[in-house]
Amino acid sequence: MSANSRLSRAFKNAKKLPLNQNSKYILFSDCHRGDNGFADDFSHNRKVYNYAISQYFNNGFTYIELGDGDELWENKFDTIFKANKDTFLLLKKFYDINRIHFIWGNHDMDYKNQKNIKKNLSRYYESATDEFKEFMPNAPFHESIRLENNNQNSIFLLHGHQADWFNYSFWKLSRFLVQYLWKPLQIVGIKDPTSPAQNFKELIKVERHIEKWIKNNNNQVLVTGHTHRPRFPQPNELPYFNDGSCVHPRCITGIEIENYQITLIKWHFTTHEDGTMQIVKSILEGPENLSNYVDL
């Protein structure tokens, strides 16, 4: 199956969520939550990420994760949960009031199977009370999502590996290579060539496949992750957005949709003259009115 066919199938079968004046969505992807070990890039940004999603929860946003939330290629989920328990309990707050949706990517494609969702997310062990507690037993995972208005115009959300034939069709082989070859080699600085986030040629191929699909589908607005490279087009450009990742060296990036506006943001530490540090949000691009990209 071609990249075009995979993208078209994901669009046709996408979960639909409302897009209106009151919609408030925060889009993050590529957290790659790991085991807090040497290869866990998320560990450097955990505090920033936790603070950011707490702010979005308090301000009434719905959280949408565009894939590769959990680094299941390198770790067992039990290990990931233990290293990130505080993060997962923050996500559970969104789940408890039906304000969270997950999209599976290539690194957490195990969640394509409902059995794996229940196995990992149904409950967790609370050591303080020596008991199991309910976690997110029916966590909503989808291949893709369409934020759709009353006119049936939409913003198409997916991870983006559908345009990456190796990491979609041969993801199990790619997982094997990461587990047993590239993860140990990270110690000496050798990058994984199967990842478009670390291989510029592969990144360009993925982006070109996606751009071609957008052009062939009436300039459908599309937001992905996967490549870890933030993208925010101008109104006269092809409407291809990318929310970046949560494993940048010194920040996390994401996309906000609020009041019919779209904004590319980053959360990071800043240092004041008195030596204190603070987590702040900065605007990288936008806000732009969604009407510049899609008929509302």
Side-chain angles (χ1 to χ4, degrees):
M1 183 180 291
S2 67
N4 181 74
S5 297
R6 291 191 294 268
L7 289 164
S8 294
R9 184 184 62 183
F11 181 80
K12 178 181 178 181
N13 297 328
K15 168 72 175 179
K16 295 179 181 179
L17 297 176
L19 178 64
N20 53 52
Q21 187 69 44
N22 298 319
S23 298
K24 300 173 74 171
Y25 294 106
I26 174 60
L27 315 179
F28 283 127
S29 75
D30 298 276
C31 298
H32 294 277
R33 290 180 288 265
D35 62 355
N36 206 29
F38 70 89
D40 181 5
D41 293 326
F42 177 73
S43 64
H44 308 297
N45 292 333
R46 184 184 300 111
K47 291 181 179 178
V48 173
Y49 173 86
N50 287 355
Y51 180 77
I53 64 173
S54 295
Q55 297 303 301
Y56 288 118
F57 178 83
N58 293 336
N59 286 285
F61 279 74
T62 293
Y63 178 91
I64 301 180
E65 193 166 86
L66 305 188
D68 284 4
D70 296 336
E71 183 46 74
L72 297 178
W73 281 10
E74 298 181 10
N75 312 283
K76 298 294 184 181
F77 180 76
D78 288 347
T79 304
I80 297 173
F81 186 89
K82 289 177 182 178
N84 299 278
K85 182 179 178 181
D86 51 349
T87 299
F88 283 113
L89 293 183
L90 288 172
L91 294 175
K92 177 174 167 53
K93 292 173 68 175
F94 286 93
Y95 173 82
D96 288 341
I97 56 174
N98 298 315
R99 276 175 29 205
I100 193 167
H101 294 271
F102 297 97
I103 288 173
W104 43 262
N106 49 309
H107 281 252
D108 54 6
M109 202 182 290
D110 280 346
Y111 291 135
K112 186 177 180 180
N113 188 327
Q114 188 66 31
K115 291 182 179 179
N116 291 326
I117 296 173
K118 290 185 176 181
K119 175 185 175 183
N120 288 352
L121 304 180
S122 289
R123 61 180 188 168
Y124 70 96
Y125 177 69
E126 180 55 76
S127 57
T129 58
D130 191 27
E131 62 180 346
F132 284 97
K133 292 187 175 182
E134 184 179 89
F135 184 35
M136 297 189 289
N138 298 303
F141 275 87
H142 322 281
E143 179 176 9
S144 53
I145 292 172
R146 283 158 63 182
L147 305 179
E148 190 171 273
N149 64 15
N150 291 332
N151 297 324
Q152 295 187 323
N153 296 313
S154 65
I155 299 173
F156 181 30
L157 315 177
L158 76 168
H159 182 58
H161 66 300
Q162 292 82 357
D164 182 350
W165 70 274
F166 188 80
N167 280 303
Y168 189 92
S169 300
F170 298 99
W171 69 274
K172 291 185 178 180
L173 173 59
S174 190
R175 178 178 63 182
F176 175 84
L177 293 174
V178 167
Q179 284 179 331
Y180 298 104
L181 181 59
W182 303 118
K183 182 179 178 180
L185 290 176
Q186 278 186 275
I187 300 175
V188 293
I190 297 178
K191 297 179 179 180
D192 174 10
T194 68
S195 169
Q198 302 183 52
N199 184 323
F200 187 73
K201 289 184 178 180
E202 289 302 314
L203 181 151
I204 295 300
K205 287 181 182 179
V206 169
E207 291 186 344
R208 284 178 178 170
H209 283 309
I210 292 174
E211 289 170 350
K212 182 178 179 181
W213 184 89
I214 293 172
K215 291 177 182 176
N216 292 338
N217 286 271
N218 197 31
N219 280 357
Q220 169 65 50
V221 182
L222 189 149
V223 185
T224 69
H226 189 51
T227 65
H228 296 199
R229 181 162 81 158
R231 288 179 60 132
F232 193 93
Q234 296 304 305
N236 61 339
E237 296 177 334
L238 202 68
Y240 173 19
F241 295 81
N242 190 302
D243 64 1
S245 82
C246 293
V247 291
H248 297 296
R250 289 170 293 278
C251 70
I252 66 173
T253 60
I255 286 179
E256 296 177 358
I257 296 175
E258 182 182 13
N259 295 325
Y260 272 146
Q261 293 186 319
I262 185 167
T263 309
L264 177 66
I265 52 86
K266 74 172 181 178
W267 290 84
H268 56 101
F269 281 106
T270 187
T271 305
H272 300 293
E273 290 185 1
D274 62 1
T276 60
M277 299 183 69
Q278 182 182 8
I279 299 172
V280 298
K281 180 179 75 173
S282 299
I283 293 177
L284 297 177
E285 297 283 352
E288 287 284 351
N289 290 326
L290 285 175
S291 60
N292 291 328
Y293 305 98
V294 60
D295 291 331
L296 299 175

